[in-house]
Amino acid sequence: MISNDFSVKRVVAAGMRSAHILLPCIMLYYVATFGIGLILPHSIDRFLSYFLMLIGSVACVHVAFKVVQKKHFSFDDYFYGFKNFKILMEFTGVNILTTFLCGLGFICLIIPGIYLILKWMLAPYIIVYEKADVIAAMKRSSELTKGITYRDWE
């Protein structure tokens, strides 16, 4: 379970330490997306690119958690999204739902949208790490980010 002791500085520091490890995952996504763009028509290209982006995102989150926990990982971990279809679908669902709701928040004078983004920013990570469903991940993200102020982003 993700700790309630949330610190943006710790998250960014962990990301910087693991950036060289996540590079193959990011490169795999871009090479695959570029190859698809050369071969397929535009509408199919967009769909497959989005699908590959989701799989790449799930893999990057999975590998990043292993790095932060100092666990061994292998090249096979970069295909975590393929092997765990339920997590991939939950990850997709939370991305679609939070994007839609945050968009509505931005329509309502921008401030509510910013609030919702900050409130649910950890939901995709919770789905991968805690294997939660969409609503549970959004609730857990709300709990973890409760009380975070602009000073936490310094």
Side-chain angles (χ1 to χ4, degrees):
M1 186 167 265
I2 296 176
S3 169
N4 286 336
D5 181 28
F6 177 78
S7 164
V8 173
K9 289 179 184 175
R10 283 189 7 212
V11 171
V12 170
M16 296 305 277
R17 285 192 308 269
S18 63
H20 68 285
I21 295 167
L22 298 176
L23 191 60
C25 184
I26 295 165
M27 293 302 294
L28 183 67
Y29 160 70
Y30 280 111
V31 168
T33 303
F34 180 72
I36 287 171
L38 292 176
I39 298 169
L40 298 174
H42 186 64
S43 59
I44 297 172
D45 169 36
R46 292 286 176 139
F47 174 76
L48 287 176
S49 294
Y50 181 71
F51 185 69
L52 285 174
M53 185 257 328
L54 287 170
I55 290 171
S57 297
V58 170
C60 284
V61 170
H62 176 68
V63 170
F65 274 122
K66 282 193 163 193
V67 168
V68 168
Q69 296 171 337
K70 295 180 173 66
K71 291 183 179 177
H72 175 74
F73 68 94
S74 65
F75 186 72
D76 193 42
D77 288 319
Y78 290 116
F79 299 97
Y80 185 74
F82 279 120
K83 296 185 295 181
N84 296 287
F85 190 72
K86 181 185 181 304
I87 289 176
L88 181 64
M89 290 298 99
E90 296 288 349
F91 194 87
T92 304
V94 81
N95 279 310
I96 291 170
L97 186 59
T98 57
T99 299
F100 176 74
L101 293 174
C102 291
L104 286 178
F106 273 106
I107 290 171
C108 299
L109 301 174
I110 298 179
I111 301 299
I114 293 170
Y115 171 76
L116 292 175
I117 287 173
L118 294 175
K119 181 177 179 167
W120 295 325
M121 68 182 170
L122 298 176
Y125 305 98
I126 292 166
I127 284 177
V128 174
Y129 187 70
E130 296 181 3
K131 296 175 179 55
D133 64 11
V134 173
I135 302 301
M138 292 171 71
K139 286 179 181 176
R140 179 79 172 124
S141 179
S142 296
E143 290 172 15
L144 290 171
T145 56
K146 189 173 186 173
I148 291 179
T149 65
Y150 73 92
R151 289 187 185 106
D152 296 320
W153 293 97
E154 296 174 348

